[in-house]
Amino acid sequence: MGYKLTPEAFSRIVAGLSERYRVFAPKRYELGGHFSDTDIIRYGEISAGSEIIFGEKSAQSFKEALLPITQVLFYFTEKEMKESDFEQKDVLVFLRSCDLNAVKRLDTIYLRNGEEDYYYKRVRDRIRFALIGCPEPFESCFCVDMGTNRANNYDFGVVEQDGTYFVDCKAKDLADLFSAGTQEVQIPPLFVSKTKTRVNIPEELDASVATASMWEEYDGRCINCGRCNFSCPTCTCYTMQDIFYQENGRVGERRRVWASCMVDGFSDVAGGGSYRPKNGQRMRFKTLHKVLDYRARFGENMCVGCGRCDDVCPEYISFSRIINRLSEAMEEVRNADK
Amino acid sequence: MPINEYAAFLSEIKEVIKHTDLEYTFRMAYGGDVLPGQFFEVSIPKFGEAPISVSGIEDGIIDLTIRRVGKVTNEIFERYEGESLFMRGPYGNGFNLADYYGKELVIIAGGTGVSPVRAVVDHFANNPDVVKTMTFIAGFKTPNDILFRSDFERWSKTAGVTLTVDDAKGEPGYNIGLVTEYIPKLKVRDAASAAAIVVGPPAMMRFTTMGLLKFGFKEENIQISHERRMCCGIGKCGHCKINDVYVCLDGPIFSLSKAKALLD
Ligand SMILES: Cc1cc2nc3c(=O)[nH]c(=O)nc-3n(C[C@H](O)[C@H](O)[C@H](O)COP(=O)(O)OP(=O)(O)OC[C@H]3O[C@@H](n4cnc5c(N)ncnc54)[C@H](O)[C@@H]3O)c2cc1C
Ligand code: SF4
Ligand code: SF4
Ligand code: FES
C-alpha cells in the first residue's frame, strides 16, 4: 500500500524536502553528453521533484554525493594541517535499487575494510535514501542476475506510472508529507524481476582464469580511458594529491581524486616498476575484482549489474559479455592444464 | 566523531645518518607501538605522502631509511636534525617476532630490502638465546650501496652474517656474488622446520625463495614483504590490491604459500 500523487504534488513535496536536505537526484544536463550534441543524465543537487529524471538511466551514479570526484582532505598553511570543512546539512539521495545495493559495497570498503574513513563517514551519517522504482529494466541492466534488483533500506520509494507518482513511505517522520489529503492505494511494483541482459558467473570461477586467452583481445580493443570505472557506482579507488596554490606557494591542500585501475600509472612504483602494463591484464583485474575477489573477501559480488560501464564505453566493450565469457575461459584454462 | 586516520602528527628528526648519496636514515621521535616490517605514511605538506618502513625501533625513536627517488623523498632529504616530518601509522601487519622463537632463522635481504628486516636482525642479534640460530645474508650492488655498515660488525658477534656485493668495483675485502649463491652453503640442520624471511626487489625474492625451497624450506615457513603503490595505507584507495588481498592491511608481510597465489 502507498500514496498516489500528481506530478505537481510530488514536485512540491521534494521542494519542501530540499529546504531541510541537500537533495541529489539524476537530472538532465543539456548538451553535456559524450557525443557533442546530446544531453546527459547525471547526478546533481535539485530543488523540486520535477527536475528528477525517471525515464532514463543516469550515465554517472549517485556516488559523487558520498565521494566527490575531487575531495579536499586538508588545507595547509606554513605550519598547520587543517581538516577540510563540509556542509553541515543532511543529504537525501534519489537512487535505483542497483545503486542502493552499491551503497552497501561503498560502506564495506570505506567503513569496514580497515579503519573507518572519516570523510566518508561524516557524510554517510547524514544521508537518507529515496528509492526510484523501476517499472521496466533498461537494455543493459542485469541486476536480477546479480541479486540487486531489490532493496528495502530506503526511507521512501517512488515509482512513476502514466504521469502519476506512487509512493511507498517507510520512514515514519516523512509519512505525513505524502499522506496529507490522499487515500492509501495499491501501488505498482518498485522492482523489476526480469532483465533483457542476462549474466552467468560460473560457479567454478577462480583466479586461474587469468591465463585464458580472452584477455589479450582487450589489449587492443580497450583504450584504457577509465570511463567504465568512473561511471561505476561500486568503484572506490582514489589517488592522493598534494598541491600548492599558484598565487601563494606557502599554502596548499591535500586532496583525493577518483582513480581508475584501467588508466596508466595506477600501479606504478618507485624504480620504474609497474604492474599490469597491458590493457587486457587490467580488464582481467577489474573483472575479477567485481565478480570474484571482492566476493572472496566480503561474501557478495561487488558488481551490482547497473550496466553503466557498458553504456559509456567508447569502444563498445560490454562488461556483461565479459562475464558471460568466463565459463568458456575457465574451460580453456582447465583443458590447458590437462 | 570518529578518528581522522588521514590526520598526520609531527615528528621531530633527531638525527640524520647518511649511508650513500641516495639513502639516508632519519631517526624520528616516536613513542607508540610499532612492529618491524610495519610502515608509516610520511609526508611533507604540498609535496605528498610516501609509505616508508621502519628500519629500527628503540625507546622513543624509530628509524626510517629513505631512498630519494622523487617528489616527496627529494623534499625529505632537504630536512635536517631539529626539523620535523608529518607521519601517520603504523600500518600493515609487520613481523611477529614470537613466530621465530626457538627456530633456526635465516634472513636474506637485498638492497633497500635490508631496511624492513633490520629491526628483526637487531632484535635477535641482541637476544641470541631466543632463537636456535640466526643467519643473515645481505646483498648490495656495490660497496658504495651498502647500508648500515657499522651494524654488520656488531651483528656478526652473535649471528652468522654474510655481507656480499654484486660487483666490488675493484675494492678488496668483499664477498662477491648474489645472495642466492650462499643458500646451498647454509648451515641449517632441519630445513623443514626452519624459518626464513626474504625481502628485496621482486626478481631477487623470486630466485631466493626458489633456492630456499630447493634447500628444503617449507613454503609456509618463508615470509616475504611486498611493495606496491599505496596512497592510503588503510584499505581504501585500492592501489595496493592483488586478488582478494590488500597489501597495506593484510601485508606487506606474507607467507610464501599465500604470496605465490597472488597475481597482479
Ligand atoms: C610498504 C612500503 C614500504 C616502503 N618502504 C620504504 C622504505 O623503507 N624506504 C624507501 O626509501 N622507500 C620505501 N618504499 C617506497 C616509497 O614509498 C617510494 O619510493 C615513495 O613513495 C616515492 O615517493 P616520491 O614522491 O619520492 O616519488 P614520486 O615522485 O612520487 O615518484 C617516484 C616513483 O615512485 C612511484 N611511487 C609514487 N608513489 C608511490 C607509493 N606510494 N608507493 C610506491 N611507489 C610510489 C612513482 O610511481 C614513481 O615511479 C616503500 C613502499 C611501500 C609500499
Ligand atoms: S573498457 Fe571501455 S570504458 Fe573501460 S577503459 Fe577500456 S575503453 Fe575505456
Ligand atoms: S561493473 Fe559495470 S555493471 Fe557492474 S556495478 Fe560497475 S558500472 Fe555497474
Ligand atoms: S594503500 Fe590504499 S588500499 Fe592499500
Side-chain angles (χ1 to χ4, degrees):
Chain A
M1 296 296 275
Y3 308 104
K4 183 177 165 181
L5 301 164
T6 63
E8 295 73 27
F10 175 70
S11 193
R12 266 199 312 276
I13 292 171
V14 175
L17 286 166
S18 75
E19 283 163 25
R20 279 199 282 149
Y21 298 91
R22 297 172 66 204
V23 184
F24 287 93
K27 61 188 237 186
R28 185 178 301 280
Y29 287 84
E30 271 168 39
L31 305 185
H34 297 312
F35 308 103
S36 55
D37 56 352
T38 55
D39 293 350
I40 190 172
I41 312 299
R42 56 179 300 166
Y43 272 74
E45 231 178 301
I46 58 157
S47 50
S50 55
E51 289 179 70
I52 305 174
I53 302 296
F54 281 90
E56 292 170 65
K57 192 193 319 185
S58 66
Q60 294 273 21
S61 80
F62 69 95
K63 194 170 70 180
E64 287 169 68
L66 277 154
L67 296 164
I69 300 175
T70 299
Q71 182 170 34
V72 177
L73 306 187
F74 297 100
Y75 291 103
F76 306 130
T77 55
E78 274 298 71
K79 278 262 166 256
E80 219 189 0
M81 217 189 253
K82 192 180 151 296
E83 200 178 291
S84 64
D85 306 326
F86 82 116
E87 221 181 305
Q88 303 278 340
K89 199 172 174 187
D90 289 345
V91 177
L92 176 67
V93 178
F94 280 85
L95 77 187
R96 297 178 190 278
S97 174
C98 55
D99 281 356
L100 193 44
N101 279 278
V103 173
K104 198 171 156 212
R105 278 69 173 166
L106 301 183
D107 284 353
T108 298
I109 295 288
Y110 277 85
L111 301 177
R112 283 186 287 279
N113 197 41
E115 301 295 326
E116 273 181 356
D117 186 280
Y118 176 83
Y119 298 90
Y120 181 85
K121 173 90 171 147
R122 69 185 188 179
V123 185
R124 184 67 178 88
D125 283 346
R126 288 181 159 265
I127 218 162
R128 302 187 77 168
F129 297 109
L131 183 90
I132 300 177
C134 297
E136 291 287 335
F138 298 99
E139 196 66 37
S140 61
C141 298
F142 53 97
C143 53
V144 175
D145 288 330
M146 298 311 294
T148 54
N149 55 316
R150 291 175 173 278
N152 54 26
N153 53 328
Y154 51 86
D155 290 291
F156 65 91
V158 51
V159 62
E160 188 205 350
Q161 198 178 56
D162 304 325
T164 304
Y165 291 77
F166 295 89
V167 172
D168 166 33
C169 189
K170 286 185 190 282
K172 292 206 170 64
D173 65 318
L174 299 177
D176 291 348
L177 283 179
F178 301 106
S179 61
T182 57
Q183 295 284 314
E184 280 212 77
V185 295
Q186 194 66 41
I187 66 163
L190 295 164
F191 308 112
V192 301
S193 51
K194 260 208 266 212
T195 59
K196 287 175 216 146
T197 299
R198 302 289 311 265
V199 296
N200 171 39
I201 302 171
E203 233 163 74
E204 71 277 14
L205 181 66
D206 65 36
S208 69
V209 78
T211 57
S213 58
M214 68 174 275
W215 308 112
E216 286 161 29
E217 187 186 309
Y218 300 100
D219 286 348
R221 270 184 78 192
C222 167
I223 56 168
N224 65 55
C225 64
R227 277 189 192 171
C228 46
N229 294 129
F230 299 131
S231 69
C232 178
T234 68
C235 273
T236 49
C237 296
Y238 67 78
T239 296
M240 220 56 129
Q241 285 179 348
D242 274 22
I243 57 153
F244 43 85
Y245 303 134
Q246 294 291 347
E247 325 81 74
N248 180 358
R250 281 175 308 196
V251 293
E253 61 191 43
R254 176 164 299 162
R255 58 196 195 182
R256 61 178 174 200
V257 297
W258 286 5
S260 155
C261 59
M262 301 302 291
V263 172
D264 288 347
F266 185 79
S267 69
D268 287 4
V269 293
S274 173
Y275 302 91
R276 300 183 298 279
K278 292 185 177 161
N279 294 345
Q281 296 172 313
R282 296 176 193 177
M283 188 65 82
R284 180 258 306 161
F285 180 82
K286 178 188 77 178
T287 303
L288 294 188
H289 182 38
K290 296 293 173 195
V291 300
L292 177 70
D293 301 341
Y294 181 94
R295 172 157 46 96
R297 195 174 175 91
F298 302 112
E300 64 187 356
N301 283 309
M302 190 176 218
C303 173
V304 294
C306 73
R308 287 191 179 94
C309 52
D310 282 25
D311 302 337
V312 299
C313 179
E315 301 300 309
Y316 303 102
I317 292 169
S318 159
F319 188 61
S320 49
R321 168 138 170 75
I322 292 178
I323 297 178
N324 287 330
R325 294 179 72 180
L326 294 173
S327 293
E328 215 171 286
M330 277 307 292
E331 207 169 305
E332 177 196 322
V333 171
R334 290 202 164 169
N335 289 335
D337 279 350
K338 275 183 196 151
Chain B
M1 228 26 215
I3 299 163
N4 187 345
E5 216 14 87
Y6 299 98
F9 55 86
L10 263 176
S11 164
E12 192 189 323
I13 304 172
K14 293 293 191 187
E15 193 186 346
V16 180
I17 301 167
K18 303 184 178 175
H19 305 286
T20 71
D21 292 345
L22 290 179
E23 284 136 329
Y24 293 0
T25 290
F26 293 79
R27 313 206 71 206
M28 311 298 302
Y30 179 74
D33 288 339
V34 59
L35 291 172
Q38 285 192 304
F39 62 95
F40 285 85
E41 285 285 351
V42 180
S43 75
I44 297 187
K46 296 179 285 176
F47 295 88
E49 298 186 302
I52 304 290
S53 316
V54 289
S55 63
I57 303 168
E58 279 169 39
D59 226 12
I61 291 204
I62 53 160
D63 294 342
L64 303 175
T65 302
I66 303 179
R67 184 177 169 85
R68 84 187 278 173
V69 293
K71 216 168 137 192
V72 181
T73 49
N74 284 344
E75 192 60 27
I76 293 174
F77 271 58
E78 303 294 317
R79 305 289 147 120
Y80 300 95
E81 221 173 279
E83 294 184 88
S84 299
L85 299 174
F86 277 99
M87 305 206 301
R88 58 185 178 90
Y91 299 127
N93 55 0
F95 293 105
N96 183 9
L97 297 174
D99 286 352
Y100 312 112
Y101 285 11
K103 291 194 177 153
E104 295 182 277
L105 172 63
V106 174
I107 302 176
I108 306 180
T112 47
V114 175
S115 303
V117 299
R118 178 171 170 257
V120 182
V121 178
D122 227 30
H123 179 80
F124 293 119
N126 294 338
N127 304 282
D129 299 340
V130 300
V131 280
K132 261 195 197 131
T133 57
M134 177 173 68
T135 311
F136 180 39
I137 304 171
F140 296 95
K141 278 207 180 101
T142 73
N144 281 336
D145 298 310
I146 294 175
L147 306 173
F148 316 114
R149 254 175 206 277
S150 58
D151 292 329
F152 281 93
E153 282 166 39
R154 188 164 50 83
W155 292 331
S156 58
K157 288 180 191 142
T158 47
V161 176
T162 304
L163 174 61
T164 178
V165 292
D166 302 353
D167 178 353
K169 297 277 177 195
E171 281 187 53
Y174 287 100
N175 293 313
I176 300 173
L178 301 175
V179 289
T180 43
E181 293 167 27
Y182 298 85
I183 296 172
K185 299 174 219 159
L186 278 173
K187 290 196 191 71
V188 169
R189 290 227 177 134
D190 181 24
S193 67
I197 296 173
V198 180
V199 186
M204 174 269 176
M205 290 201 285
R206 193 162 62 244
F207 290 112
T208 305
T209 51
M210 271 163 55
L212 288 170
L213 291 174
K214 206 165 149 210
F215 192 91
F217 279 78
K218 291 226 172 94
E219 262 176 7
E220 60 270 29
N221 296 334
I222 303 178
Q223 289 186 298
I224 60 132
S225 176
H226 263 319
E227 195 174 312
R228 286 296 177 280
R229 178 78 184 270
M230 291 184 182
C231 277
C232 70
I234 51 171
K236 307 286 176 280
C237 76
H239 287 274
C240 73
K241 180 187 167 284
I242 326 175
N243 294 32
D244 60 336
V245 153
Y246 288 77
V247 176
C248 66
L249 294 178
D250 312 329
I253 318 300
F254 294 95
S255 71
L256 188 60
S257 32
K258 177 78 196 173
K260 71 162 190 194
L262 301 178
L263 189 98
D264 282 287

